[in-house]
Amino acid sequence: VVYLVVFHLSFVMFVWSYWKTIFTSAATPSNEFCLSKADKEQYEKEERPESQQEILRRAAKDLPIYTTTASGAIRYCDRCQLIKPDRCHHCSACDICVLKMDHHCPWVNNCVGFSNYKFFLLFLMYSLLYCLFVAATVLQYFIKFWTNELPDTHAKFHVLFLFFVAAMFFISILSLFSYHCWLVSKNRSTIETFRAPTFRNGPDKNGFSLGWSKNLREVFGDERKYWLLPIFTSLGDGCNFPTRLVIVDPEQLTVSSQNEPAK
């Protein structure tokens, strides 16, 4: 009875998480990040990059944006014609800008980002448990196969195949799941791991890290009873993220402290 309950529960959670990962639409920036009609026409008429950047700076002055390009310019998507929020990137496969984009996953045929990152993590976790459960169940028959205690039937080759498939998937998913657990603890996306976000004071790979506890809650939410369920509980709106203190110039810090009166 316990065997059947564990089997069916793990399978249901695996399918549920997989379904949510696939069919949850990628979150896109809100309309406030789109240029007005007048600014868009003026931007398209301008040929000089400096003038175009001035238009973007004027449009982005009231937006919650703290990151820029590597050259310090406003991050703008010519394809979607909008100012990119922090941690937002354009997906060439989906042809849309995705909030807090992590990567485009061909296995789920969807972008993994703000709206379904929790579902993707749960999908990996329940896949891992499911493979482990299958491998552990077949292990006794696998041992009998090598000790020639298993009856000489065609079923023994099925047992051998099932064990190796479950073990290989377990190893591959374990490495991927461990990597994403590390990303969650650092509050980074896969894209930010390879290219650190650039703030006004320079690039900072830990710019969005608030400590592992707050980083974990940012993905899974404040209610722990919902953490293991594939329902959306991530904090925020995907357009604005809390940041820690970014890189500070030591010389500027020394000068400012000398200019301030002693308290």
Side-chain angles (χ1 to χ4, degrees), residues 173-189:
I173 295 175
L174 178 62
S175 61
L176 182 60
F177 180 67
S178 302
Y179 173 69
H180 278 280
C181 288
W182 177 78
L183 290 180
V184 171
S185 67
K186 298 293 184 180
N187 203 345
R188 300 180 198 168
S189 64

Side-chain angles (χ1 to χ4, degrees), residues 126-252:
Y126 288 120
S127 301
L128 193 65
L129 294 177
Y130 191 62
C131 291
L132 179 62
F133 182 77
V134 172
T137 304
V138 183
L139 180 60
Q140 57 176 326
Y141 302 102
F142 181 75
I143 296 175
K144 290 181 179 179
F145 171 81
W146 286 107
T147 56
N148 294 323
E149 297 179 11
L150 199 66
D152 190 13
T153 61
H154 293 291
K156 67 179 184 179
F157 295 104
H158 298 164
V159 170
L160 183 65
F161 176 78
L162 182 60
F163 179 81
F164 273 112
V165 169
M168 287 188 297
F169 271 99
F170 174 80
I171 295 173
S172 60
I173 295 175
L174 178 62
S175 61
L176 182 60
F177 180 67
S178 302
Y179 173 69
H180 278 280
C181 288
W182 177 78
L183 290 180
V184 171
S185 67
K186 298 293 184 180
N187 203 345
R188 300 180 198 168
S189 64
T190 302
I191 296 177
E192 293 167 350
T193 303
F194 294 98
R195 186 172 65 251
T198 303
F199 294 83
R200 293 186 177 92
N201 295 323
D204 186 0
K205 61 182 180 180
N206 295 318
F208 294 105
S209 181
L210 307 173
W212 71 268
S213 178
K214 292 183 179 179
N215 295 341
L216 185 67
R217 291 201 299 270
E218 194 166 301
V219 176
F220 290 93
D222 292 326
E223 297 290 338
R224 294 189 178 183
K225 59 184 178 181
Y226 299 124
W227 281 8
L228 299 180
L229 296 177
I231 57 178
F232 184 79
T233 55
S234 300
L235 302 181
D237 57 0
C239 296
N240 185 21
F241 297 91
T243 60
R244 71 177 187 87
L245 290 177
V246 295
I247 299 173
V248 178
D249 189 354
E251 296 182 357
Q252 293 180 355

Side-chain angles (χ1 to χ4, degrees), residues 21-90:
T21 306
I22 293 176
F23 293 102
T24 299
S25 301
T28 56
S30 56
N31 293 330
E32 63 177 332
F33 292 90
C34 298
L35 294 179
S36 64
K37 185 177 180 180
D39 288 339
K40 189 181 300 183
E41 292 177 353
Q42 187 178 0
Y43 179 86
E44 293 174 351
K45 290 179 181 179
E46 290 289 347
E47 297 181 355
R48 295 183 303 168
E50 297 82 6
S51 301
Q52 291 180 335
Q53 277 297 307
E54 185 61 32
I55 296 173
L56 295 180
R57 289 192 188 95
R58 185 173 63 250
K61 65 178 181 179
D62 296 327
L63 296 177
I65 297 176
Y66 302 100
T67 59
T68 62
T69 63
S71 60
I74 300 295
R75 299 171 64 245
Y76 181 74
C77 180
D78 293 311
R79 188 77 175 176
C80 299
Q81 295 183 329
L82 54 81
I83 297 174
K84 294 180 182 179
D86 294 339
R87 317 184 80 176
C88 175
H89 298 276
H90 185 85

Side-chain angles (χ1 to χ4, degrees), residues 116-128:
N116 62 349
Y117 188 60
K118 176 190 174 183
F119 307 148
F120 178 74
L121 291 174
L122 292 180
F123 160 64
L124 293 179
M125 186 186 72
Y126 288 120
S127 301
L128 193 65

